[in-house]
Every structure is written in structure tokens, then in C-alpha cells.
Amino acid sequence: ALPDEHEKLLNECNLLYWAKSLLDFTYEYIDHCIVAAPTLPSFPIPRVHFVEAGIALAFFCHSSNTQGTSEQAPMADIKAGMFSAVYLLEERVTSGTPNDQTFTKFIHNKDYGPSLDKDEYGYDVAVFLSFTQHIQYEKTEGLAFISDYQGSTELLTDPQILT
């Protein structure tokens, strides 16, 4: 039903908001450690972020009747101004990866280690994301960390947060 879909998508957006916050917090910690270190890291730090997203509601402009037409199924009486559909709009995940690989599952939500083998494209990002889980777990004193990292090597989507 529409109200259920609306609630699910609001929860999805809220989850994305909190995942962005946790990832930003992680990068702030990493950046702080780099500034405080006597030398720069000998390896590049991947810079990823979650997609921008939002909820879109489609509204009825006029009331409908319950009669319908011969080509339509009867509809419940819908008042003008009520929303008729709800959509989650997300930034498109793309990248210029080898073999046009644009979507990768870096870490599964049932595991804390990389889902990729060492020789697979994106393995270094997967290892880094595993490291971010460790920071999040430690800095929240075991309360939360992002799981189910997936997307491209620059843009992530559809996270889960384990608490």
C-alpha cells in the first residue's frame, strides 16, 4: 500500500542520511590523524561518498470518482491534494572503470571483510571500507558501523547500519 511504501522510502532516506554522517565522521578522524602524523601515508586514501537522494511525491490535482471507465479499474475516492505515488530519487552510480564495471559489492552486510579477491578491481577500496568499519565501531564504542558497502569506487549507495 502507498502509506507503507512511503514509510519504507522515508526509512531508506533516513538510513542514507545516517550512513553519510558516519562516513563523514570517519573521514574527519582519518584527516585529523594524517595532520597529526609526522609523515603522510605512503598510499592513497580512497575518497568515496554516498549518493545524494531524496523523496519525490506525486499528487492528485483533482478528485477521482469510484466509477472509473470501461478501460480503468474502479479507484477508491481520492481527494485532490493527496499523493498518488512516492519515489526515491538517487544520484546515478557510474564510473570509468575497466570493462565498464559500474557497480561493485565491496562488503556484504553479513560480513565485515572485503567481498572481492585481491586481484579484482576495487579490492583496495574494499579493504579501505573494511577499515572504516573498524573506525566507526571503535569511535562509537561498539554502537554502530556501516555495512553493505556497494556502488562504484567513488559513489556508494544502499548502505545498512549495524547497531
Side-chain angles (χ1 to χ4, degrees):
L2 190 57
D4 294 335
E5 188 67 21
H6 183 239
E7 183 178 343
K8 288 177 186 176
L9 292 180
L10 286 175
N11 286 338
E12 186 75 20
C13 273
N14 193 34
L15 181 62
L16 192 54
Y17 170 82
W18 283 106
K20 284 179 165 190
S21 296
L22 266 174
L23 189 59
D24 288 346
F25 169 76
T26 304
Y27 274 116
E28 287 173 13
Y29 177 76
I30 291 168
D31 292 342
H32 169 77
C33 290
I34 289 172
V35 167
T39 60
L40 293 176
S42 60
F43 51 88
I45 305 289
R47 293 288 171 171
V48 298
H49 64 277
F50 284 101
V51 295
E52 295 296 329
I55 296 285
L57 302 175
F59 286 88
F60 280 104
C61 295
H62 54 81
S63 296
S64 66
N65 61 34
T66 56
Q67 301 295 318
T69 66
S70 60
E71 297 173 6
Q72 297 176 313
M75 297 176 57
D77 191 29
I78 299 174
K79 307 268 188 268
M82 292 179 64
F83 67 92
S84 59
V86 59
Y87 304 95
L88 176 63
L89 305 177
E90 290 185 334
E91 189 175 358
R92 186 174 176 187
V93 178
T94 61
S95 70
T97 59
N99 303 322
D100 197 30
Q101 179 184 7
T102 58
F103 192 88
T104 302
K105 184 81 145 180
F106 295 103
I107 298 176
H108 193 275
N109 60 358
K110 294 181 182 176
D111 197 1
Y112 54 86
S115 297
L116 304 172
D117 292 328
K118 289 182 181 184
D119 60 341
E120 289 184 276
Y121 180 80
Y123 177 76
D124 55 337
V125 173
V127 169
F128 173 75
L129 294 173
S130 183
F131 168 70
T132 67
Q133 289 180 316
H134 175 73
I135 291 173
Q136 293 158 9
Y137 184 83
E138 288 297 318
K139 291 298 178 184
T140 64
E141 298 180 356
L143 293 178
F145 66 91
I146 300 170
S147 182
D148 206 14
Y149 277 115
Q150 55 192 322
S152 73
T153 55
E154 298 171 359
L155 194 58
L156 303 171
T157 188
D158 199 26
Q160 297 297 313
I161 296 177
L162 299 183
T163 58

